[in-house]
Coordinates of all heavy atoms in Angstrom, one line a residue:
M1 N 43.2 337.3 96.6 CA 42.4 337.2 95.4 C 43.1 337.1 94.2 O 44.1 337.8 94.0 CB 41.6 338.6 95.4 CG 40.6 338.6 94.3 SD 39.6 340.1 94.6 CE 39.2 340.5 92.9
P2 N 42.8 336.2 93.3 CA 43.6 335.9 92.1 C 43.4 337.1 91.1 O 42.5 337.7 91.1 CB 43.0 334.6 91.5 CG 41.6 334.5 92.1 CD 41.6 335.2 93.4
R3 N 44.5 337.2 90.3 CA 44.5 338.2 89.3 C 43.5 337.9 88.2 O 43.3 336.6 87.9 CB 45.9 338.4 88.7 CG 46.9 338.9 89.8 CD 48.2 339.1 89.1 NE 49.1 339.6 90.1 CZ 50.2 340.2 89.9 NH1 50.5 340.4 88.6 NH2 51.0 340.6 90.8
P4 N 42.9 338.9 87.5 CA 41.9 338.5 86.4 C 42.7 338.0 85.2 O 43.8 338.5 84.9 CB 41.2 339.9 86.1 CG 42.1 340.9 86.7 CD 42.9 340.2 87.9
T5 N 42.1 337.1 84.5 CA 42.8 336.6 83.3 C 42.4 337.6 82.2 O 41.6 338.5 82.2 CB 42.1 335.3 82.9 OG1 40.7 335.3 82.7 CG2 42.3 334.2 84.1
A6 N 43.1 337.3 80.9 CA 42.8 338.1 79.8 C 41.4 338.0 79.3 O 40.8 339.0 78.9 CB 43.8 337.7 78.7
A7 N 40.8 336.8 79.4 CA 39.5 336.7 79.0 C 38.6 337.5 79.9 O 37.5 338.1 79.4 CB 39.0 335.2 79.1
Q8 N 38.7 337.5 81.2 CA 37.9 338.3 82.0 C 38.0 339.8 81.8 O 37.0 340.5 81.8 CB 38.3 338.0 83.5 CG 37.9 336.7 84.0 CD 38.4 336.4 85.4 OE1 39.6 336.7 85.7 NE2 37.6 335.9 86.3
L9 N 39.2 340.2 81.5 CA 39.4 341.7 81.2 C 38.7 342.1 79.8 O 38.1 343.1 79.7 CB 40.9 342.1 81.1 CG 41.7 342.0 82.5 CD1 43.2 342.2 82.2 CD2 41.0 343.1 83.4
A10 N 38.8 341.1 78.9 CA 38.2 341.4 77.5 C 36.7 341.4 77.6 O 36.1 342.3 77.1 CB 38.8 340.3 76.6
Y11 N 36.2 340.4 78.3 CA 34.7 340.4 78.4 C 34.2 341.6 79.2 O 33.1 342.1 78.9 CB 34.3 339.0 79.0 CG 34.2 337.9 78.1 CD1 34.9 336.7 78.5 CD2 33.6 338.0 76.9 CE1 34.9 335.6 77.6 CE2 33.7 336.9 76.0 CZ 34.3 335.7 76.4 OH 34.3 334.7 75.5
G12 N 34.8 341.8 80.2 CA 34.3 343.0 81.1 C 34.4 344.4 80.3 O 33.5 345.1 80.3
S13 N 35.6 344.6 79.6 CA 35.7 345.8 78.9 C 34.7 346.0 77.7 O 34.1 347.0 77.5 CB 37.2 345.9 78.3 OG 38.1 345.8 79.4
A14 N 34.5 344.8 77.0 CA 33.5 344.8 75.9 C 32.1 345.0 76.4 O 31.3 345.8 75.8 CB 33.6 343.5 75.1
T15 N 31.9 344.5 77.6 CA 30.5 344.7 78.2 C 30.3 346.1 78.5 O 29.2 346.8 78.4 CB 30.3 343.8 79.4 OG1 30.5 342.5 78.9 CG2 29.0 344.0 80.0
V16 N 31.3 346.8 79.1 CA 31.2 348.2 79.6 C 31.0 349.1 78.3 O 30.1 349.9 78.3 CB 32.4 348.6 80.3 CG1 32.4 350.2 80.5 CG2 32.6 348.0 81.7
V17 N 31.8 348.9 77.3 CA 31.6 349.7 76.1 C 30.3 349.6 75.4 O 29.6 350.5 75.0 CB 32.8 349.5 75.2 CG1 32.6 350.2 73.8 CG2 34.1 349.9 75.8
C18 N 30.0 348.3 75.1 CA 28.7 347.9 74.5 C 27.5 348.4 75.2 O 26.6 349.0 74.7 CB 28.7 346.5 74.0 SG 29.8 346.0 72.9
S19 N 27.5 348.1 76.5 CA 26.3 348.4 77.2 C 26.2 349.9 77.4 O 25.1 350.4 77.4 CB 26.3 347.7 78.6 OG 27.5 348.1 79.4
T20 N 27.3 350.7 77.5 CA 27.2 352.1 77.6 C 26.6 352.7 76.4 O 25.6 353.6 76.4 CB 28.6 352.8 77.8 OG1 29.1 352.2 79.0 CG2 28.5 354.3 78.0
L21 N 27.1 352.3 75.2 CA 26.5 352.8 74.0 C 25.1 352.4 73.7 O 24.3 353.3 73.4 CB 27.4 352.2 72.8 CG 28.8 352.7 72.5 CD1 29.5 351.9 71.6 CD2 28.7 354.2 72.3
V22 N 24.6 351.2 74.1 CA 23.2 350.8 74.0 C 22.4 351.6 74.9 O 21.3 352.1 74.5 CB 23.1 349.3 74.2 CG1 21.8 348.9 74.3 CG2 23.8 348.5 73.0
M23 N 22.8 351.8 76.0 CA 22.0 352.5 77.1 C 21.9 353.9 76.8 O 20.8 354.5 76.8 CB 22.5 352.2 78.4 CG 22.2 350.9 79.1 SD 22.5 350.8 80.9 CE 24.4 350.6 80.9
L24 N 23.0 354.6 76.2 CA 22.9 356.0 75.8 C 22.0 356.1 74.6 O 21.2 357.1 74.6 CB 24.3 356.5 75.6 CG 25.2 356.9 76.8 CD1 26.6 357.2 76.3 CD2 24.5 357.9 77.5
L25 N 22.1 355.2 73.6 CA 21.2 355.3 72.5 C 19.8 355.1 72.7 O 18.8 355.8 72.2 CB 21.7 354.4 71.4 CG 23.0 354.8 70.7 CD1 23.5 353.7 69.8 CD2 22.9 356.0 69.9
L26 N 19.5 354.2 73.6 CA 18.1 353.8 73.9 C 17.4 354.9 74.9 O 16.3 355.1 74.7 CB 18.0 352.4 74.6 CG 18.2 351.2 73.6 CD1 18.3 349.9 74.4 CD2 17.2 351.2 72.6
S27 N 18.2 355.4 75.7 CA 17.6 356.4 76.7 C 17.5 357.7 76.1 O 16.6 358.6 76.5 CB 18.4 356.5 78.0 OG 19.7 357.1 77.7
G28 N 18.3 358.1 75.2 CA 18.3 359.4 74.6 C 18.6 360.6 75.6 O 18.2 361.7 75.4
T29 N 19.3 360.3 76.7 CA 19.6 361.3 77.7 C 20.7 362.2 77.2 O 21.6 361.8 76.5 CB 20.0 360.7 79.0 OG1 20.1 361.7 80.0 CG2 21.3 359.9 78.9
S30 N 20.7 363.4 77.7 CA 21.7 364.4 77.2 C 22.2 365.2 78.5 O 23.1 366.0 78.3 CB 21.2 365.4 76.2 OG 20.1 366.1 76.7
T31 N 21.8 364.9 79.6 CA 22.1 365.6 80.8 C 23.4 364.8 81.5 O 23.6 363.6 81.2 CB 21.0 365.6 81.9 OG1 20.7 364.2 82.3 CG2 19.8 366.2 81.4
G32 N 24.1 365.6 82.1 CA 25.3 365.0 82.7 C 25.1 363.9 83.8 O 25.7 362.9 83.9
I33 N 23.9 364.1 84.5 CA 23.7 363.1 85.6 C 23.1 361.9 84.9 O 23.5 360.8 85.4 CB 22.5 363.8 86.4 CG1 23.1 364.9 87.3 CG2 21.9 362.7 87.4 CD1 22.1 365.6 88.1
G34 N 22.4 362.0 83.9 CA 22.0 360.8 83.2 C 23.1 359.9 82.5 O 23.1 358.7 82.6
V35 N 24.1 360.7 81.9 CA 25.2 360.0 81.4 C 26.1 359.3 82.5 O 26.5 358.2 82.4 CB 26.0 361.0 80.6 CG1 27.4 360.3 80.1 CG2 25.3 361.5 79.4
A36 N 26.2 360.1 83.7 CA 26.9 359.5 84.8 C 26.3 358.2 85.3 O 26.9 357.2 85.6 CB 27.1 360.5 85.9
V37 N 24.9 358.2 85.5 CA 24.2 357.1 85.9 C 24.4 355.9 85.0 O 24.6 354.7 85.4 CB 22.7 357.4 86.2 CG1 21.8 356.1 86.4 CG2 22.5 358.3 87.3
I38 N 24.3 356.1 83.7 CA 24.4 355.1 82.7 C 25.9 354.6 82.7 O 26.1 353.3 82.7 CB 24.1 355.5 81.3 CG1 22.6 355.8 81.1 CG2 24.6 354.7 80.2 CD1 22.1 356.4 79.9
G39 N 26.9 355.4 82.9 CA 28.2 354.9 83.0 C 28.5 354.1 84.2 O 29.2 353.1 84.1
I40 N 28.0 354.5 85.4 CA 28.1 353.7 86.6 C 27.4 352.4 86.4 O 27.9 351.3 86.8 CB 27.5 354.4 87.7 CG1 28.5 355.7 88.1 CG2 27.5 353.6 89.0 CD1 28.0 356.6 89.1
A41 N 26.2 352.4 85.8 CA 25.5 351.1 85.6 C 26.3 350.2 84.7 O 26.4 349.0 84.8 CB 24.1 351.3 85.0
A42 N 26.9 350.8 83.6 CA 27.7 349.9 82.7 C 29.0 349.4 83.3 O 29.3 348.2 83.1 CB 28.1 350.8 81.4
L43 N 29.6 350.2 84.2 CA 30.8 349.7 84.9 C 30.4 348.5 85.9 O 31.1 347.6 86.0 CB 31.4 350.7 85.7 CG 32.2 351.8 84.9 CD1 32.7 353.0 85.8 CD2 33.4 351.1 84.3
A44 N 29.2 348.6 86.5 CA 28.8 347.6 87.4 C 28.5 346.3 86.6 O 28.8 345.2 87.1 CB 27.6 348.0 88.2
L45 N 27.9 346.5 85.4 CA 27.6 345.3 84.6 C 28.8 344.6 84.1 O 28.9 343.4 84.0 CB 26.6 345.8 83.4 CG 26.1 344.7 82.5 CD1 25.3 343.6 83.3 CD2 25.4 345.3 81.4
G46 N 29.8 345.4 83.7 CA 31.1 344.9 83.3 C 31.8 344.2 84.3 O 32.4 343.1 84.1
L47 N 31.7 344.7 85.6 CA 32.4 344.0 86.8 C 31.7 342.7 87.0 O 32.3 341.6 87.2 CB 32.2 344.8 87.9 CG 32.8 344.3 89.2 CD1 34.4 344.2 89.1 CD2 32.6 345.2 90.5
I48 N 30.4 342.6 86.9 CA 29.7 341.3 87.1 C 30.0 340.4 86.0 O 30.2 339.2 86.4 CB 28.2 341.7 87.1 CG1 27.8 342.4 88.4 CG2 27.4 340.3 87.1 CD1 26.3 343.0 88.5
V49 N 30.1 340.8 84.8 CA 30.5 339.9 83.8 C 31.9 339.4 83.9 O 32.1 338.2 83.6 CB 30.2 340.6 82.3 CG1 31.0 339.8 81.2 CG2 28.7 340.8 82.0
A50 N 32.9 340.4 84.2 CA 34.1 339.9 84.4 C 34.3 338.8 85.5 O 35.2 337.9 85.5 CB 35.1 341.1 84.6
V51 N 33.6 339.0 86.6 CA 33.8 338.1 87.7 C 33.2 336.8 87.5 O 33.7 335.8 88.0 CB 33.1 338.8 89.0 CG1 33.0 337.8 90.1 CG2 34.0 340.0 89.4
T52 N 32.1 336.7 86.6 CA 31.5 335.5 86.4 C 31.9 334.7 85.3 O 31.5 333.5 85.0 CB 29.9 335.7 86.2 OG1 29.7 336.6 85.1 CG2 29.2 336.3 87.4
V53 N 32.9 335.2 84.6 CA 33.5 334.3 83.5 C 34.3 333.3 84.2 O 35.1 333.5 85.0 CB 34.5 335.2 82.6 CG1 35.3 334.4 81.6 CG2 33.8 336.4 81.9
P54 N 34.0 332.0 83.7 CA 34.7 330.9 84.4 C 36.2 330.9 84.0 O 36.6 331.2 82.9 CB 34.0 329.7 83.8 CG 33.4 330.1 82.5 CD 33.1 331.6 82.7
L55 N 36.9 330.5 85.0 CA 38.5 330.4 84.9 C 38.7 329.1 84.2 O 38.1 328.0 84.6 CB 39.1 330.4 86.2 CG 39.0 331.8 86.9 CD1 39.6 331.7 88.3 CD2 39.7 332.9 86.2
P56 N 39.6 329.0 83.3 CA 39.9 327.7 82.6 C 40.3 326.6 83.5 O 40.0 325.4 83.3 CB 41.1 328.1 81.5 CG 41.4 329.4 81.9 CD 40.5 330.1 82.9
G57 N 41.2 326.8 84.4 CA 41.6 325.8 85.4 C 40.5 325.1 86.2 O 40.4 323.9 86.3
R58 N 39.6 326.0 86.6 CA 38.5 325.6 87.5 C 37.5 324.7 86.7 O 36.9 323.7 87.1 CB 37.8 326.7 88.1 CG 38.5 327.5 89.2 CD 37.8 328.5 89.9 NE 38.6 329.2 90.9 CZ 38.2 330.2 91.5 NH1 37.0 330.8 91.2 NH2 39.0 330.8 92.3
A59 N 37.3 325.1 85.5 CA 36.3 324.5 84.6 C 36.9 323.1 84.3 O 36.2 322.1 84.3 CB 36.0 325.2 83.3
R60 N 38.2 323.0 84.0 CA 38.8 321.7 83.6 C 38.7 320.9 84.9 O 38.5 319.6 84.8 CB 40.3 322.0 83.2 CG 40.8 320.9 82.4 CD 42.2 321.3 81.8 NE 42.2 322.5 81.1 CZ 43.1 323.5 81.4 NH1 43.9 323.5 82.3 NH2 42.9 324.7 80.7
A61 N 39.1 321.3 86.0 CA 39.0 320.6 87.2 C 37.7 320.0 87.6 O 37.5 318.9 88.1 CB 39.7 321.4 88.4
A62 N 36.6 320.9 87.4 CA 35.2 320.5 87.7 C 34.8 319.4 86.7 O 34.1 318.5 87.2 CB 34.3 321.7 87.6
R63 N 35.2 319.5 85.4 CA 34.9 318.4 84.5 C 35.6 317.1 84.9 O 34.9 316.0 84.8 CB 35.2 318.8 83.1 CG 34.2 319.7 82.5 CD 34.5 319.8 80.9 NE 35.9 320.2 80.7 CZ 36.2 321.5 80.4 NH1 35.3 322.4 80.3 NH2 37.4 321.8 80.1
A64 N 36.9 317.2 85.2 CA 37.6 316.0 85.6 C 37.0 315.4 86.9 O 36.9 314.1 87.0 CB 39.1 316.3 85.9
A65 N 36.7 316.3 87.9 CA 36.0 315.6 89.1 C 34.6 315.0 88.8 O 34.3 314.0 89.4 CB 35.8 316.8 90.2
A66 N 33.9 315.6 87.9 CA 32.6 315.0 87.6 C 32.7 313.6 86.8 O 32.1 312.7 87.2 CB 31.8 316.0 86.7
R67 N 33.7 313.5 86.0 CA 34.0 312.3 85.3 C 34.5 311.3 86.3 O 34.1 310.1 86.2 CB 35.1 312.4 84.3 CG 34.5 312.9 82.9 CD 35.6 312.9 81.9 NE 36.3 314.2 82.3 CZ 37.2 314.7 81.6 NH1 37.5 314.2 80.4 NH2 37.8 315.9 82.0
A68 N 35.3 311.6 87.3 CA 35.8 310.6 88.2 C 34.7 310.2 89.1 O 34.6 309.0 89.5 CB 36.9 311.3 89.0
R69 N 33.8 311.1 89.6 CA 32.6 310.7 90.3 C 31.7 309.7 89.6 O 31.3 308.7 90.1 CB 31.8 311.8 90.8 CG 32.4 312.4 92.1 CD 31.4 313.5 92.5 NE 31.6 314.6 91.4 CZ 31.3 315.8 91.5 NH1 30.7 316.3 92.5 NH2 31.6 316.7 90.4
T70 N 31.4 310.0 88.3 CA 30.6 309.2 87.6 C 31.1 307.8 87.1 O 30.4 306.8 87.1 CB 30.0 309.8 86.3 OG1 31.1 310.2 85.5 CG2 29.2 311.1 86.6
S71 N 32.5 307.7 86.9 CA 33.0 306.5 86.4 C 33.4 305.6 87.6 O 33.2 304.4 87.4 CB 34.3 306.8 85.6 OG 35.3 307.4 86.5
S72 N 33.9 306.1 88.7 CA 34.3 305.1 89.7 C 33.5 305.2 91.0 O 33.7 304.4 92.0 CB 35.8 305.4 90.1 OG 35.9 306.8 90.6
G73 N 32.6 306.1 91.1 CA 31.8 306.1 92.2 C 32.4 306.6 93.6 O 33.2 307.5 93.5
A74 N 32.1 306.0 94.6 CA 32.6 306.4 96.0 C 34.0 306.0 96.3 O 34.6 306.4 97.1 CB 31.7 306.1 97.1
A75 N 34.5 305.0 95.5 CA 35.8 304.5 95.8 C 36.9 305.5 95.5 O 37.9 305.4 96.2 CB 36.1 303.2 94.9
T76 N 36.7 306.4 94.6 CA 37.7 307.5 94.3 C 38.0 308.4 95.5 O 39.1 308.7 95.9 CB 37.2 308.4 93.2 OG1 37.0 307.5 92.1 CG2 38.3 309.4 92.8
G77 N 36.9 308.7 96.3 CA 37.0 309.5 97.5 C 37.9 308.9 98.5 O 38.7 309.4 99.2
T78 N 37.7 307.5 98.8 CA 38.5 306.9 99.8 C 39.9 306.7 99.5 O 40.8 306.8 100.2 CB 37.8 305.5 100.2 OG1 37.7 304.8 99.0 CG2 36.4 305.7 100.8
A79 N 40.1 306.4 98.2 CA 41.4 306.2 97.7 C 42.2 307.6 97.9 O 43.5 307.7 98.1 CB 41.5 305.7 96.2
K80 N 41.6 308.7 97.5 CA 42.3 309.9 97.6 C 42.5 310.4 99.0 O 43.6 310.8 99.3 CB 41.3 311.0 97.0 CG 42.0 312.4 97.0 CD 41.0 313.4 96.3 CE 41.6 314.7 96.3 NZ 40.7 315.7 95.7
E81 N 41.6 310.0 99.9 CA 41.8 310.3 101.4 C 43.0 309.5 101.8 O 43.7 309.9 102.8 CB 40.6 310.0 102.1 CG 39.4 310.9 101.9 CD 38.1 310.5 102.6 OE1 38.1 309.5 103.1 OE2 37.1 311.2 102.3
A82 N 43.2 308.2 101.4 CA 44.3 307.4 101.9 C 45.6 307.9 101.3 O 46.7 307.7 102.0 CB 44.0 305.9 101.3
R83 N 45.7 308.5 100.3 CA 47.0 309.1 99.7 C 47.3 310.4 100.4 O 48.5 310.7 100.5 CB 46.8 309.3 98.2 CG 46.8 308.1 97.4 CD 47.0 308.5 95.9 NE 45.9 309.3 95.5 CZ 45.0 309.1 94.7 NH1 44.9 307.9 94.1 NH2 44.0 309.9 94.3
V84 N 46.4 311.2 100.9 CA 46.8 312.5 101.5 C 47.7 312.4 102.6 O 48.7 313.1 102.7 CB 45.6 313.2 101.8 CG1 45.7 314.6 102.5 CG2 44.8 313.6 100.4
P85 N 47.4 311.5 103.7 CA 48.3 311.5 104.8 C 49.7 311.0 104.4 O 50.7 311.6 104.9 CB 47.6 310.6 105.8 CG 46.2 310.6 105.5 CD 46.1 310.8 104.0
A86 N 49.8 310.1 103.5 CA 51.1 309.7 103.0 C 51.9 310.7 102.3 O 53.1 310.9 102.5 CB 50.9 308.4 102.1
A87 N 51.2 311.7 101.6 CA 51.9 312.7 100.9 C 52.3 313.7 101.9 O 53.4 314.3 101.7 CB 50.9 313.3 99.8
R88 N 51.6 314.0 103.0 CA 51.9 314.9 103.9 C 53.2 314.4 104.8 O 54.1 315.2 105.1 CB 50.9 315.2 104.9 CG 49.8 316.1 104.3 CD 48.8 316.4 105.2 NE 47.7 317.2 104.5 CZ 46.4 317.3 105.1 NH1 46.1 316.6 106.0 NH2 45.5 318.0 104.4
A89 N 53.2 313.1 105.0 CA 54.3 312.5 105.7 C 55.6 312.6 104.9 O 56.7 312.8 105.3 CB 54.1 311.1 106.1
H90 N 55.5 312.4 103.6 CA 56.6 312.4 102.7 C 57.1 313.9 102.6 O 58.3 314.1 102.3 CB 56.2 311.9 101.3 CG 57.3 311.9 100.3 ND1 58.4 311.0 100.5 CD2 57.5 312.6 99.2 CE1 59.3 311.3 99.4 NE2 58.6 312.2 98.7
A91 N 56.3 314.8 102.7 CA 56.7 316.2 102.5 C 57.5 316.7 103.8 O 58.0 317.9 103.6 CB 55.5 317.2 102.3
G92 N 57.8 316.0 104.7 CA 58.6 316.4 105.8 C 57.9 316.8 107.0 O 58.3 317.8 107.7
G93 N 56.8 316.3 107.3 CA 56.0 316.6 108.4 C 55.0 317.6 108.1 O 54.5 317.9 107.1
G94 N 54.7 318.4 109.1 CA 53.7 319.5 109.0 C 54.4 320.8 109.1 O 55.6 321.0 108.9
A95 N 53.5 321.8 109.5 CA 54.0 323.3 109.6 C 55.0 323.4 110.8 O 55.9 324.3 110.8 CB 53.0 324.2 109.8
E96 N 54.9 322.5 111.8 CA 55.8 322.6 112.9 C 57.2 322.4 112.6 O 58.2 323.0 113.1 CB 55.3 321.5 114.1 CG 54.0 321.8 114.6 CD 52.9 321.1 113.7 OE1 53.3 320.2 112.9 OE2 51.7 321.5 113.8
S97 N 57.5 321.4 111.7 CA 58.9 321.0 111.4 C 59.4 322.2 110.5 O 60.7 322.3 110.4 CB 58.9 319.7 110.7 OG 58.2 319.8 109.5
R98 N 58.7 322.9 109.8 CA 59.2 324.0 108.9 C 59.2 325.3 109.6 O 59.6 326.3 109.0 CB 58.3 324.0 107.6 CG 58.3 322.8 106.8 CD 57.6 323.1 105.5 NE 56.1 323.5 105.7 CZ 55.2 322.7 105.6 NH1 55.3 321.4 105.2 NH2 53.9 323.2 105.8
F99 N 58.8 325.4 110.8 CA 58.8 326.7 111.6 C 60.1 327.4 111.6 O 60.3 328.6 111.3 CB 58.3 326.6 113.0 CG 58.2 327.8 113.7 CD1 57.3 328.8 113.4 CD2 59.0 328.1 114.7 CE1 57.3 329.9 114.0 CE2 59.1 329.2 115.4 CZ 58.1 330.1 115.1
G100 N 61.2 326.6 111.7 CA 62.5 327.3 111.9 C 63.0 327.7 110.5 O 64.1 328.3 110.4
Q101 N 62.4 327.3 109.4 CA 63.0 327.6 108.1 C 62.5 328.8 107.5 O 62.8 329.2 106.5 CB 62.6 326.4 107.1 CG 63.2 325.0 107.6 CD 62.7 323.9 106.7 OE1 62.0 324.1 105.9 NE2 63.2 322.7 107.0
H102 N 61.6 329.6 108.2 CA 61.0 330.8 107.7 C 62.1 331.9 107.6 O 63.0 332.0 108.5 CB 60.0 331.2 108.6 CG 59.1 332.2 107.8 ND1 59.4 333.6 107.8 CD2 57.9 332.2 107.3 CE1 58.6 334.3 107.1 NE2 57.6 333.4 106.8
S103 N 62.1 332.6 106.5 CA 63.2 333.6 106.2 C 63.1 334.8 107.2 O 64.2 335.5 107.3 CB 63.1 334.2 104.9 OG 61.9 334.8 104.6
L104 N 62.0 335.1 107.8 CA 61.9 336.2 108.6 C 62.1 335.9 110.1 O 62.1 336.8 111.0 CB 60.5 336.9 108.5 CG 60.1 337.4 107.1 CD1 58.7 337.9 107.1 CD2 61.1 338.4 106.7
R105 N 62.3 334.7 110.5 CA 62.5 334.2 111.9 C 64.0 334.6 112.3 O 64.9 334.3 111.5 CB 62.3 332.8 112.0 CG 62.3 332.3 113.4 CD 61.8 330.9 113.6 NE 61.9 330.6 115.0 CZ 62.9 329.7 115.5 NH1 63.8 329.3 114.7 NH2 62.9 329.5 116.8
R106 N 64.2 335.1 113.4 CA 65.5 335.5 113.9 C 65.9 334.6 114.8 O 65.4 334.0 115.5 CB 65.5 337.0 114.4 CG 65.2 337.9 113.4 CD 65.2 339.3 114.1 NE 64.6 340.2 113.0 CZ 64.9 341.6 113.1 NH1 65.5 342.0 114.0 NH2 64.3 342.3 112.2

C-alpha cells in the first residue's frame, strides 16, 4: 500500500476537525457517548476523504493516456505491445535469469 501524500493528510485532517466541530454544534450533544459517536463518524469521514483524494501521478498518467487514445486511436496500443517484449529481452531475460542474483539466496 502506498504511503499517503501530504495533500491526502491535509485534506483528511481538515475534514476530521471541521466535520467534528460542525456536527457537535449542530447536534448540541453533551453526553460522552454522543461526542464519541460524532468523533468516530468524523474520523471515518476524514479517512474516506483522504483515500479519495487523487494522486498527482495517477491523474497525470490518466490524462496522458486519454490524450493518446483520442489522438492516435488503436495504433498506440499495438505499438506499445510491440515494444514491451523488446524491452524485456533487453533487460536481461526474465525472472529466471535473475534468480541467482538475489541477496538472500545461499
Side-chain angles (χ1 to χ4, degrees):
M1 184 167 151
R3 294 182 183 200
T5 63
Q8 288 174 314
L9 292 174
Y11 282 128
S13 299
T15 301
V16 169
V17 170
C18 293
S19 62
T20 301
L21 290 175
V22 168
M23 285 190 280
L24 284 173
L25 290 173
L26 289 177
S27 69
T29 186
S30 59
T31 64
I33 293 175
V35 172
V37 168
I38 289 174
I40 291 171
L43 285 173
L45 184 62
L47 181 65
I48 290 170
V49 167
V51 169
T52 57
V53 170
L55 296 175
R58 288 185 183 171
R60 203 175 306 127
R63 282 192 302 263
R67 270 183 288 193
R69 272 183 294 199
T70 58
S71 66
S72 64
T76 304
T78 56
K80 184 178 179 182
E81 290 169 359
R83 285 190 304 248
V84 171
R88 286 186 184 152
H90 180 67
E96 299 84 21
S97 66
R98 292 188 306 259
F99 179 72
Q101 298 174 1
H102 196 281
S103 63
L104 298 177
R105 186 169 181 259
R106 294 179 187 201

